[in-house]
Amino acid sequence: MKTRKELIDQALTSGTLPDLPQGHFIDGAFSAPAAGRSMESQDPGRAEAFAEFARGDAADVEAAVASARNAFEAVWRDTPAAERGRILSRAAALIRENAAGLAVVECLDSGKPIGEAEGDVQGAARAFEYYAGACDKLQGDTFPIGPDYLGYSQHEPVGVAAQIIPWNFPISTAARGIAPALAAGCAVVAKPAEQTPFTALRLAEILKNAGLPAGVCNVVTGTGAEVGAPLAAHPGVDHITFTGSVATGTAVMKAAAENVTRVVLELGGKSPVVVLDDCDRDQALDGVMGAIFENAGQICSAGSRLIVERGLHDGFVEELCRRAEKLTLGHGLRNPQLGPVNSAEQLTRVSGFIARARERGIEVATGGGETVDPETGKGWFFQPTIVGARDAGDELVQQEIFGPVLTVQTAEDAEHALTLANNSQYALVAGIYTGDFTRAHRLARRLDAGQVYINEYFAGGIEVPFGGNKKSGFGREKGLEGLLSYCRTKSVAARI
Ligand code: ADP
C-alpha cells in the first residue's frame, strides 16, 4: 500500500489517481452502467476533469433496488445483530487502513484541503464503529396491558433505504447514512453527488471486503435527474435519507409522497454564531473562523451569520478580517487553510451574492472576489469574505450562500441577538460564545435550531443527533435517534 506522501505526490504530479473505481456497485460487484455512458469528475483545485465515472439511469436504479430488496429479504434482515455489528466493526477498521487513499480521492473530487478530507475519513470510520456497537442494543419494550395479556414491541428494519448524498461531505454523509441503515438491518441504495462519486463506491467495496453480503449496499452514480429522481420515486424504496438543497429536498419529498415513503431531509442552513461581550475573545475568533472557512464555507451547518454584541463588534470584526486575509489558499492536496469551491457553478453563485450586495451599496469588509491557486493560476477559488449587513431582510442575511462568505450583524444585547438569530427560514444549528453558562443555556433553550454549540462551533460527533427545523428539514441523523430512522416499531398484544 502506498504511503500518504506517495499518494499525494502521485496525484499532484499526474493530476489524477490510478485504480479509481469503475462502474456502479451493484449486487456485490462493480458493473458497467446499462446504457454504457460515462461522465467526468472535476478537480476543483485545477478546474479540470481528472477522471470518468458511470453515468447511470433508471435501469441501473432498477437493478440496484432489486438487488437491495433481494439481499434484505433473503439475508440481511435475519442476520443476527451481533454479526451485523462485527461486519460494521471490520468496515471501520478497513476505512482506517485505507484512510490515506480515501482522503486523497476525496480531496481531488471535492477540492477540500487534504487535512479536512482526512478528518472526514476518520469521521466515516467513527460512524461505522459507533453503529457497530449499537446493532445489538436495539431493544423493544413491554406494555402493562393487564394480567391476561402480554404486550411488547420490537424494532424492525424499514427495508430498502435510499441515500441521496451531496458533494460537500461525500464520504462522511455516506457513512452517517449507510452505517445506521445497515445496523438496523436495512439494505441500501446510495446515490452520491455527480460532482463527487468516488468515495461512496470505495466505501461499498470496503463493506464487501468487511463481509457484507452481496446486494446489501449498492451504489449508483450519475446525475440527480437521471439517477436521484428515479431512486426517490421508486416504489421499492422504503426510506429516503436526503441531504442537499431545499429545492431538491422538496422534489424528493414530493416524489416520496407518491409512494408514502418515509423521508429524512437534511437541507440548507444560515446558521447564526452569537458572540456576546463576555466571551473568551480568542476562543470566539477561532470558532468563527472555523465555522465559516472550513470546507470553504460549503457546509450546511456553516456558521455563516455572525451576530456580535456591540461592545465587542468593531475590534472583533477587524481581527477576523486580519485573520481571513492571512489564510493560505491553494490546491487541496497542498493542505491550504482554504481550498476551492466545488464547481464553476458554485463559484458563479457565490460571486453573484457579492456583486448584488455591491450594487445595493453594501461595503465588503474583506475579500469579495474570485481568485485562483497562486501556485498554478488555476482552480475555482473565492477569497475569504466578510461583509456587514444592516438590514435583517437582506439576502446576505437570509439566503444560504454556501461559500466562504461571512455576514455580520450587530446585536444590542443578548435578547436582541436571539431575535436576530431566530429571524430565518432556516434552523439547522446555532453557536453561542459567552463566559456566562447560565446565559448560554437559557439562550440555547430559546434558539430555533436542531443543534446548539456553546463555546466551540461544530462541537460533538456521531454521538449527537443532527438535523434541522423549518426549511432546514426534519428527522435526525447521527446518534441513536439516527438509528431509529431506519426502524419501524411493531407492537404485539396477546391474550394469554
Ligand atoms: P446542489 O444543488 O448543491 O448540487 P442538490 O440538492 O441538487 O444540491 O444535490 C444533492 C443530491 O441530490 C445530489 O446527489 C444530486 O445528484 C441529487 N439530486 C439532484 N436532483 C435530484 C432529484 N430531482 N431527485 C433526487 N435527487 C436529486
Side-chain angles (χ1 to χ4, degrees):
M1 208 183 273
K2 286 204 162 74
T3 63
R4 171 182 189 269
K5 183 172 181 324
E6 284 166 347
L7 283 162
I8 292 174
D9 288 348
Q10 182 180 28
L12 272 173
T13 322
S14 68
T16 186
L17 282 170
D19 310 325
L20 286 167
Q22 293 296 311
H24 304 308
F25 195 87
I26 298 177
D27 215 20
F30 287 106
S31 60
R37 299 178 308 164
S38 61
M39 58 193 292
E40 288 180 330
S41 188
Q42 309 285 326
D43 168 4
R46 292 195 184 87
E48 286 167 4
F50 78 97
E52 290 198 341
F53 63 98
R55 178 170 184 168
D57 60 21
D60 302 308
V61 169
E62 198 59 49
V65 173
S67 160
R69 169 67 49 199
N70 181 49
F72 170 67
E73 285 177 4
V75 193
W76 194 240
R77 72 170 163 196
D78 295 323
T79 299
E83 176 59 11
R84 292 204 298 266
R86 281 190 284 270
I87 293 171
L88 297 197
S89 273
R90 283 199 291 273
L94 284 177
I95 292 170
R96 291 204 171 101
E97 266 173 43
N98 290 279
L102 286 165
V104 173
V105 179
E106 191 82 325
C107 174
L108 272 187
D109 225 1
S110 68
K112 66 177 64 192
I114 185 76
E116 292 184 24
E118 284 165 344
D120 293 355
V121 171
Q122 292 305 323
R126 260 301 286 150
F128 280 93
E129 188 173 69
Y130 176 80
Y131 288 111
C135 292
D136 56 2
K137 281 104 193 157
L138 260 179
Q139 40 197 34
D141 253 322
T142 56
F143 308 117
I145 50 178
D148 298 330
Y149 298 89
L150 173 64
Y152 64 93
S153 68
Q154 57 199 38
H155 294 295
E156 295 180 340
V158 292
V160 174
Q163 303 287 331
I164 302 180
I165 300 162
W167 46 259
N168 57 337
F169 283 91
I171 193 168
S172 48
T173 311
R176 83 174 183 207
I178 293 172
L182 299 181
C186 292
V188 167
V189 178
K191 185 251 173 269
E194 52 271 48
Q195 296 85 351
T196 52
F198 290 113
T199 46
L201 290 165
R202 279 265 161 91
L203 198 53
E205 189 182 27
I206 283 175
L207 279 160
K208 189 195 169 208
N209 293 338
L212 193 73
V216 181
C217 181
N218 305 276
V219 177
V220 182
T221 58
T223 66
E226 291 171 350
V227 176
L231 182 59
H234 201 294
V237 167
D238 303 298
H239 169 104
I240 303 168
T241 294
F242 171 83
T243 306
S245 62
V246 176
T248 307
T250 307
V252 165
M253 192 171 165
K254 282 184 182 158
E258 287 298 319
N259 300 311
V260 197
T261 304
R262 312 151 59 117
V263 285
V264 168
L265 299 179
E266 205 265 88
L267 309 178
K270 188 77 186 180
S271 299
V273 191
V274 173
V275 174
L276 300 178
D277 283 349
D278 64 357
C279 73
D280 175 330
R281 188 170 176 272
D282 275 330
Q283 187 181 50
L285 283 163
D286 289 346
V288 171
M289 289 295 290
I292 187 61
F293 297 126
E294 190 178 306
N295 203 22
Q298 303 165 113
I299 309 184
C300 23
S301 52
S304 51
R305 274 193 297 150
L306 169 63
I307 299 172
V308 56
E309 205 171 349
R310 187 170 292 285
L312 205 61
H313 178 280
D314 292 357
F316 193 85
V317 174
E318 270 164 35
E319 177 58 21
L320 279 177
C321 289
R322 239 189 322 271
R323 291 186 182 201
E325 284 153 20
K326 279 204 222 130
L327 288 179
T328 58
L329 194 144
H331 194 282
L333 287 169
R334 295 202 171 81
N335 205 22
Q337 290 166 312
L338 189 81
V341 298
N342 179 263
S343 62
E345 191 190 2
Q346 199 52 30
L347 187 60
T348 306
R349 193 182 133 75
V350 176
S351 281
F353 276 100
I354 299 302
R356 289 192 297 278
R358 287 191 164 123
E359 278 163 23
R360 292 194 298 280
I362 293 175
E363 228 176 89
V364 174
T366 189
E370 293 184 16
T371 182
V372 287
D373 177 352
E375 204 153 328
T376 61
K378 295 180 186 176
W380 295 309
F381 290 83
F382 199 81
Q383 294 170 328
T385 300
I386 298 175
V387 55
R390 268 151 300 179
D391 170 12
D394 194 277
E395 70 166 4
L396 289 176
V397 178
Q398 294 298 335
Q399 299 299 320
E400 183 177 42
I401 298 175
F402 225 62
V405 179
L406 179 69
T407 303
V408 185
Q409 295 174 274
T410 314
E412 300 308 329
D413 53 30
E415 200 55 33
H416 184 216
L418 179 73
T419 305
L420 291 174
N422 283 347
N423 176 17
S424 174
Q425 62 180 323
Y426 296 111
L428 187 53
V429 308
I432 304 171
Y433 283 86
T434 173
D436 180 341
F437 248 51
T438 300
R439 190 146 80 142
H441 289 292
R442 283 185 184 277
L443 277 175
R445 198 176 279 174
R446 291 168 65 207
L447 276 164
D448 193 354
Q451 190 168 353
V452 177
Y453 306 119
I454 298 172
N455 289 341
E456 186 185 310
Y457 205 85
F458 297 133
I462 190 69
E463 306 84 350
V464 185
F466 179 81
N469 306 333
K470 297 186 188 163
K471 287 216 170 138
S472 295
F474 58 85
R476 295 291 178 262
E477 297 193 78
K478 310 208 293 189
L480 292 179
E481 203 173 331
L483 180 59
L484 293 177
S485 297
Y486 297 97
C487 299
R488 53 189 192 194
T489 300
K490 173 165 289 165
S491 311
V492 178
R495 175 148 188 131
I496 53 173

Short mmCIF file of all heavy atoms in Angstrom, two decimals, residues 186-229:
data_model
loop_
_atom_site.label_atom_id
_atom_site.label_comp_id
_atom_site.label_asym_id
_atom_site.label_seq_id
_atom_site.Cartn_x
_atom_site.Cartn_y
_atom_site.Cartn_z
N CYS A 186 -31.32 -2.74 7.45
CA CYS A 186 -31.81 -2.31 6.13
C CYS A 186 -30.76 -2.59 5.07
O CYS A 186 -29.57 -2.66 5.36
CB CYS A 186 -32.08 -0.81 6.11
SG CYS A 186 -33.46 -0.32 7.15
N ALA A 187 -31.22 -2.71 3.82
CA ALA A 187 -30.30 -2.72 2.69
C ALA A 187 -30.31 -1.31 2.08
O ALA A 187 -31.25 -0.54 2.29
CB ALA A 187 -30.75 -3.74 1.66
N VAL A 188 -29.25 -0.99 1.36
CA VAL A 188 -29.03 0.40 0.94
C VAL A 188 -28.84 0.52 -0.57
O VAL A 188 -28.18 -0.33 -1.18
CB VAL A 188 -27.78 0.96 1.67
CG1 VAL A 188 -27.32 2.27 1.07
CG2 VAL A 188 -28.05 1.12 3.16
N VAL A 189 -29.41 1.59 -1.13
CA VAL A 189 -29.01 2.04 -2.46
C VAL A 189 -28.56 3.49 -2.29
O VAL A 189 -29.36 4.35 -1.91
CB VAL A 189 -30.15 1.98 -3.49
CG1 VAL A 189 -29.67 2.50 -4.84
CG2 VAL A 189 -30.67 0.54 -3.63
N ALA A 190 -27.27 3.73 -2.52
CA ALA A 190 -26.73 5.08 -2.33
C ALA A 190 -26.48 5.73 -3.67
O ALA A 190 -26.06 5.08 -4.63
CB ALA A 190 -25.44 5.02 -1.53
N LYS A 191 -26.78 7.04 -3.72
CA LYS A 191 -26.52 7.80 -4.94
C LYS A 191 -25.68 9.01 -4.55
O LYS A 191 -26.17 9.99 -4.00
CB LYS A 191 -27.86 8.26 -5.55
CG LYS A 191 -27.70 8.96 -6.87
CD LYS A 191 -28.00 10.44 -6.69
CE LYS A 191 -27.70 11.24 -7.90
NZ LYS A 191 -26.32 11.78 -7.90
N PRO A 192 -24.36 8.91 -4.79
CA PRO A 192 -23.51 10.07 -4.47
C PRO A 192 -23.77 11.21 -5.46
O PRO A 192 -24.34 11.00 -6.53
CB PRO A 192 -22.09 9.52 -4.64
CG PRO A 192 -22.20 8.31 -5.49
CD PRO A 192 -23.60 7.79 -5.36
N ALA A 193 -23.33 12.40 -5.09
CA ALA A 193 -23.49 13.55 -6.00
C ALA A 193 -22.61 13.34 -7.23
O ALA A 193 -21.55 12.71 -7.15
CB ALA A 193 -23.08 14.83 -5.28
N GLU A 194 -23.04 13.88 -8.34
CA GLU A 194 -22.30 13.69 -9.60
C GLU A 194 -20.95 14.42 -9.58
O GLU A 194 -20.07 14.13 -10.37
CB GLU A 194 -23.13 14.12 -10.81
CG GLU A 194 -23.74 15.52 -10.74
CD GLU A 194 -25.13 15.51 -10.08
OE1 GLU A 194 -25.28 14.89 -9.02
OE2 GLU A 194 -26.04 16.14 -10.65
N GLN A 195 -20.80 15.37 -8.64
CA GLN A 195 -19.50 16.05 -8.53
C GLN A 195 -18.49 15.19 -7.77
O GLN A 195 -17.29 15.41 -7.90
CB GLN A 195 -19.69 17.38 -7.77
CG GLN A 195 -20.56 18.41 -8.47
CD GLN A 195 -22.05 18.21 -8.19
OE1 GLN A 195 -22.48 17.22 -7.62
NE2 GLN A 195 -22.84 19.18 -8.64
N THR A 196 -18.95 14.27 -6.96
CA THR A 196 -18.05 13.54 -6.04
C THR A 196 -18.46 12.07 -5.91
O THR A 196 -18.92 11.65 -4.84
CB THR A 196 -18.11 14.20 -4.64
OG1 THR A 196 -19.50 14.28 -4.25
CG2 THR A 196 -17.49 15.57 -4.59
N PRO A 197 -18.28 11.29 -6.97
CA PRO A 197 -18.84 9.93 -6.93
C PRO A 197 -17.95 8.87 -6.27
O PRO A 197 -18.44 7.79 -5.95
CB PRO A 197 -18.99 9.60 -8.41
CG PRO A 197 -17.87 10.36 -9.07
CD PRO A 197 -17.74 11.64 -8.29
N PHE A 198 -16.65 9.15 -6.09
CA PHE A 198 -15.73 8.02 -5.90
C PHE A 198 -15.70 7.40 -4.51
O PHE A 198 -15.57 6.19 -4.38
CB PHE A 198 -14.32 8.41 -6.34
CG PHE A 198 -14.23 8.57 -7.83
CD1 PHE A 198 -14.01 9.80 -8.41
CD2 PHE A 198 -14.41 7.47 -8.66
CE1 PHE A 198 -13.95 9.94 -9.79
CE2 PHE A 198 -14.36 7.59 -10.05
CZ PHE A 198 -14.14 8.84 -10.60
N THR A 199 -15.78 8.22 -3.45
CA THR A 199 -15.59 7.58 -2.13
C THR A 199 -16.78 6.70 -1.73
O THR A 199 -16.59 5.73 -0.99
CB THR A 199 -15.26 8.61 -1.03
OG1 THR A 199 -16.15 9.71 -1.13
CG2 THR A 199 -13.82 9.07 -1.12
N ALA A 200 -17.97 7.00 -2.23
CA ALA A 200 -19.11 6.11 -1.90
C ALA A 200 -18.89 4.75 -2.54
O ALA A 200 -19.19 3.70 -1.94
CB ALA A 200 -20.42 6.72 -2.39
N LEU A 201 -18.34 4.74 -3.76
CA LEU A 201 -18.04 3.46 -4.43
C LEU A 201 -16.99 2.69 -3.65
O LEU A 201 -17.11 1.48 -3.42
CB LEU A 201 -17.54 3.72 -5.86
CG LEU A 201 -18.59 4.25 -6.85
CD1 LEU A 201 -17.92 4.82 -8.10
CD2 LEU A 201 -19.58 3.14 -7.24
N ARG A 202 -15.96 3.41 -3.20
CA ARG A 202 -14.91 2.76 -2.41
C ARG A 202 -15.47 2.19 -1.10
O ARG A 202 -15.09 1.10 -0.68
CB ARG A 202 -13.81 3.77 -2.06
CG ARG A 202 -12.82 4.00 -3.17
CD ARG A 202 -11.58 3.10 -2.97
NE ARG A 202 -10.82 2.95 -4.20
CZ ARG A 202 -9.81 3.74 -4.56
NH1 ARG A 202 -9.45 4.74 -3.78
NH2 ARG A 202 -9.16 3.52 -5.67
N LEU A 203 -16.37 2.95 -0.52
CA LEU A 203 -16.98 2.52 0.75
C LEU A 203 -17.76 1.22 0.54
O LEU A 203 -17.69 0.29 1.36
CB LEU A 203 -17.92 3.63 1.23
CG LEU A 203 -18.35 3.63 2.66
CD1 LEU A 203 -17.18 3.57 3.61
CD2 LEU A 203 -19.17 4.90 2.95
N ALA A 204 -18.49 1.12 -0.57
CA ALA A 204 -19.27 -0.10 -0.85
C ALA A 204 -18.32 -1.29 -1.00
O ALA A 204 -18.60 -2.40 -0.52
CB ALA A 204 -20.11 0.10 -2.10
N GLU A 205 -17.19 -1.04 -1.65
CA GLU A 205 -16.21 -2.12 -1.84
C GLU A 205 -15.61 -2.54 -0.48
O GLU A 205 -15.44 -3.73 -0.20
CB GLU A 205 -15.11 -1.60 -2.77
CG GLU A 205 -14.14 -2.65 -3.23
CD GLU A 205 -13.05 -2.05 -4.11
OE1 GLU A 205 -12.73 -0.83 -3.96
OE2 GLU A 205 -12.52 -2.77 -4.95
N ILE A 206 -15.32 -1.56 0.35
CA ILE A 206 -14.78 -1.85 1.69
C ILE A 206 -15.78 -2.67 2.49
O ILE A 206 -15.43 -3.64 3.17
CB ILE A 206 -14.42 -0.53 2.41
CG1 ILE A 206 -13.10 0.02 1.85
CG2 ILE A 206 -14.35 -0.70 3.93
CD1 ILE A 206 -12.69 1.36 2.38
N LEU A 207 -17.06 -2.31 2.40
CA LEU A 207 -18.08 -3.05 3.14
C LEU A 207 -18.14 -4.50 2.68
O LEU A 207 -18.28 -5.42 3.48
CB LEU A 207 -19.45 -2.38 2.97
CG LEU A 207 -19.65 -1.17 3.88
CD1 LEU A 207 -20.75 -0.26 3.36
CD2 LEU A 207 -19.97 -1.63 5.31
N LYS A 208 -17.99 -4.68 1.38
CA LYS A 208 -17.99 -6.05 0.87
C LYS A 208 -16.78 -6.80 1.44
O LYS A 208 -16.90 -7.94 1.91
CB LYS A 208 -17.94 -6.04 -0.65
CG LYS A 208 -18.17 -7.42 -1.18
CD LYS A 208 -17.79 -7.57 -2.61
CE LYS A 208 -17.80 -9.05 -2.94
NZ LYS A 208 -16.88 -9.38 -4.00
N ASN A 209 -15.63 -6.15 1.43
CA ASN A 209 -14.42 -6.79 1.97
C ASN A 209 -14.53 -7.06 3.48
O ASN A 209 -13.86 -7.93 4.01
CB ASN A 209 -13.18 -5.94 1.68
CG ASN A 209 -12.89 -5.90 0.18
OD1 ASN A 209 -13.33 -6.77 -0.56
ND2 ASN A 209 -12.18 -4.87 -0.27
N ALA A 210 -15.39 -6.28 4.13
CA ALA A 210 -15.60 -6.49 5.57
C ALA A 210 -16.55 -7.65 5.84
O ALA A 210 -16.80 -8.01 6.98
CB ALA A 210 -16.15 -5.22 6.20
N GLY A 211 -17.13 -8.19 4.76
CA GLY A 211 -18.03 -9.35 4.94
C GLY A 211 -19.49 -9.05 4.70
O GLY A 211 -20.35 -9.91 4.95
N LEU A 212 -19.81 -7.86 4.24
CA LEU A 212 -21.22 -7.54 3.98
C LEU A 212 -21.71 -8.38 2.79
O LEU A 212 -21.08 -8.39 1.74
CB LEU A 212 -21.37 -6.04 3.66
CG LEU A 212 -22.81 -5.53 3.68
CD1 LEU A 212 -23.34 -5.44 5.11
CD2 LEU A 212 -22.93 -4.17 3.00
N PRO A 213 -22.82 -9.06 2.95
CA PRO A 213 -23.31 -9.89 1.84
C PRO A 213 -23.63 -9.04 0.59
O PRO A 213 -24.01 -7.87 0.70
CB PRO A 213 -24.59 -10.52 2.40
CG PRO A 213 -24.45 -10.44 3.88
CD PRO A 213 -23.65 -9.20 4.15
N ALA A 214 -23.48 -9.69 -0.57
CA ALA A 214 -23.74 -9.00 -1.85
C ALA A 214 -25.15 -8.43 -1.85
O ALA A 214 -26.09 -9.07 -1.38
CB ALA A 214 -23.56 -9.99 -3.00
N GLY A 215 -25.27 -7.21 -2.37
CA GLY A 215 -26.59 -6.60 -2.53
C GLY A 215 -27.06 -5.78 -1.34
O GLY A 215 -28.01 -5.01 -1.46
N VAL A 216 -26.39 -5.90 -0.20
CA VAL A 216 -26.87 -5.15 0.96
C VAL A 216 -26.52 -3.66 0.85
O VAL A 216 -27.25 -2.81 1.33
CB VAL A 216 -26.32 -5.76 2.28
CG1 VAL A 216 -26.85 -4.99 3.48
CG2 VAL A 216 -26.69 -7.22 2.39
N CYS A 217 -25.41 -3.37 0.16
CA CYS A 217 -25.09 -1.95 -0.07
C CYS A 217 -24.72 -1.74 -1.53
O CYS A 217 -23.72 -2.27 -2.00
CB CYS A 217 -23.96 -1.49 0.84
SG CYS A 217 -23.57 0.26 0.60
N ASN A 218 -25.55 -1.00 -2.24
CA ASN A 218 -25.34 -0.73 -3.67
C ASN A 218 -25.11 0.76 -3.87
O ASN A 218 -25.65 1.58 -3.12
CB ASN A 218 -26.59 -1.14 -4.45
CG ASN A 218 -26.98 -2.57 -4.17
OD1 ASN A 218 -26.47 -3.49 -4.76
ND2 ASN A 218 -27.89 -2.76 -3.20
N VAL A 219 -24.34 1.09 -4.89
CA VAL A 219 -24.10 2.50 -5.21
C VAL A 219 -24.32 2.70 -6.70
O VAL A 219 -23.75 1.98 -7.52
CB VAL A 219 -22.66 2.92 -4.84
CG1 VAL A 219 -22.40 4.37 -5.25
CG2 VAL A 219 -22.41 2.75 -3.35
N VAL A 220 -25.16 3.67 -7.03
CA VAL A 220 -25.40 4.02 -8.44
C VAL A 220 -24.98 5.47 -8.63
O VAL A 220 -25.44 6.35 -7.90
CB VAL A 220 -26.89 3.85 -8.82
CG1 VAL A 220 -27.11 4.18 -10.30
CG2 VAL A 220 -27.37 2.44 -8.52
N THR A 221 -24.09 5.71 -9.60
CA THR A 221 -23.61 7.08 -9.82
C THR A 221 -24.31 7.69 -11.03
O THR A 221 -24.82 6.99 -11.90
CB THR A 221 -22.08 7.10 -10.04
OG1 THR A 221 -21.75 6.28 -11.17
CG2 THR A 221 -21.35 6.59 -8.83
N GLY A 222 -24.28 9.02 -11.08
CA GLY A 222 -24.89 9.73 -12.20
C GLY A 222 -25.54 11.01 -11.71
O GLY A 222 -25.31 11.44 -10.58
N THR A 223 -26.35 11.62 -12.56
CA THR A 223 -26.92 12.92 -12.22
C THR A 223 -28.14 12.79 -11.31
O THR A 223 -28.73 11.71 -11.19
CB THR A 223 -27.35 13.67 -13.49
OG1 THR A 223 -28.44 12.95 -14.08
CG2 THR A 223 -26.22 13.80 -14.50
N GLY A 224 -28.55 13.93 -10.76
CA GLY A 224 -29.75 13.95 -9.93
C GLY A 224 -30.98 13.60 -10.74
O GLY A 224 -31.84 12.83 -10.29
N ALA A 225 -31.06 14.16 -11.93
CA ALA A 225 -32.26 13.92 -12.75
C ALA A 225 -32.33 12.47 -13.21
O ALA A 225 -33.41 11.88 -13.24
CB ALA A 225 -32.24 14.86 -13.96
N GLU A 226 -31.19 11.89 -13.57
CA GLU A 226 -31.21 10.55 -14.19
C GLU A 226 -31.14 9.40 -13.18
O GLU A 226 -31.58 8.30 -13.48
CB GLU A 226 -30.07 10.44 -15.19
CG GLU A 226 -30.29 11.33 -16.41
CD GLU A 226 -29.08 11.41 -17.33
OE1 GLU A 226 -27.98 10.94 -16.95
OE2 GLU A 226 -29.24 11.98 -18.42
N VAL A 227 -30.55 9.67 -12.01
CA VAL A 227 -30.44 8.60 -11.01
C VAL A 227 -31.20 8.97 -9.72
O VAL A 227 -31.98 8.16 -9.19
CB VAL A 227 -28.96 8.29 -10.69
CG1 VAL A 227 -28.85 7.26 -9.57
CG2 VAL A 227 -28.24 7.80 -11.93
N GLY A 228 -30.99 10.19 -9.23
CA GLY A 228 -31.63 10.59 -7.97
C GLY A 228 -33.15 10.56 -8.08
O GLY A 228 -33.83 10.01 -7.21
N ALA A 229 -33.68 11.15 -9.15
CA ALA A 229 -35.14 11.25 -9.28
C ALA A 229 -35.79 9.86 -9.39
O ALA A 229 -36.75 9.57 -8.66
CB ALA A 229 -35.51 12.15 -10.46
#
